Amino acid sequence: ILDGALIIDEWRIGGLRTVTANRFISRGIHQIRVEYYEANGNASISLEWRVSYAGWIGRYYNTPNLSGPVVLIRDDADINFDWGFNSPSPEVNPDNFSVDWTRRLNFPLSSNYVFTAEVDDGVRIFVDGATVLNNFSSSGSRTITGSIALGAGQHDLQVQYVERTGQAKIRVSWAPVFLPPTPTPTSSATP
């Protein structure tokens, strides 16, 4: 029972089983109530929950070096922010903060991919642990690119961002690079 609403109804005699339910829960304090009975045999119960993220898992820090306590964790659909002189959220400082985003994505093609970051101040991008961009110590607004060869399939992405002072902005995108096919020599008869 979550905030008075029945979420799981398994009030019956039966063996050990796992039952799950998915619900959207807003941020804040909620009431959870578990009711349980044992008819016969061994008694066992456990309750657990976790957050499911549809986009990027963003961990925000009030330091410029991804250290200290995480002050905000949120599900960011895209990394496409122009905060200007403002903060990403009330919990986060408007200056001298950093963000570590992670996500697993499917890349449909085997290709070289070019990653582009429009950023004000620093950024690092990793794919499957390999560095694609490393411009974390720089300041100011700029666009930078890096490339990596990827096979088709699932890949782990990580984007790290630092805002020092002034305006805060980051936009990350990528695209496959299509190279023209290599010409194949053909023989021709001499006239």
Side-chain angles (χ1 to χ4, degrees):
I1 301 172
L2 173 65
D3 295 330
L6 185 63
I7 302 299
I8 295 175
D9 185 5
E10 284 290 310
W11 200 260
R12 62 185 176 85
I13 296 173
L16 184 62
R17 61 198 174 275
T18 300
V19 181
T20 62
N22 293 319
R23 294 291 183 273
F24 173 80
I25 302 174
S26 63
R27 185 176 184 167
I29 297 172
H30 297 273
Q31 181 185 33
I32 297 173
R33 188 171 91 214
V34 176
E35 297 175 344
Y36 172 79
Y37 81 93
E38 169 57 36
N40 55 39
N42 294 328
S44 177
I45 185 171
S46 68
L47 173 69
E48 61 184 63
W49 60 87
R50 65 177 183 210
V51 177
S52 295
Y53 294 94
W56 293 87
I57 302 170
R59 291 173 179 83
Y60 291 73
Y61 300 83
N62 276 331
T63 62
N65 56 3
L66 301 165
S67 66
V70 175
V71 296
L72 173 66
I73 298 177
R74 72 180 186 191
D75 192 353
D76 290 323
D78 293 306
I79 301 177
N80 183 1
F81 299 103
D82 188 347
W83 294 295
F85 292 100
N86 298 312
S87 164
S89 181
E91 302 92 328
V92 181
N93 297 331
D95 287 321
N96 291 308
F97 71 87
S98 53
V99 187
D100 186 16
W101 285 284
T102 55
R103 183 172 194 177
R104 186 165 182 80
L105 283 173
N106 183 54
F107 286 74
L109 304 171
S110 291
S111 181
N112 282 331
Y113 284 82
V114 173
F115 284 75
T116 302
E118 298 173 49
V119 64
D120 187 335
D121 288 311
V123 63
R124 289 189 288 232
I125 298 177
F126 306 92
V127 178
D128 297 330
T131 303
V132 178
L133 286 174
N134 188 357
N135 207 283
F136 206 66
S137 60
S138 297
S139 293
S141 185
R142 68 204 164 289
T143 300
I144 53 177
T145 62
S147 64
I148 188 170
L150 296 176
Q154 298 285 317
H155 293 279
D156 294 317
L157 280 71
Q158 181 177 23
V159 176
Q160 297 176 335
Y161 169 72
V162 61
E163 162 53 19
R164 291 184 179 79
T165 60
Q167 298 211 26
K169 171 178 77 172
I170 183 166
R171 180 173 295 117
V172 174
S173 61
W174 56 88
V177 177
F178 295 104
L179 301 174
T182 306
T184 304
T186 58
S187 60
S188 58
T190 306

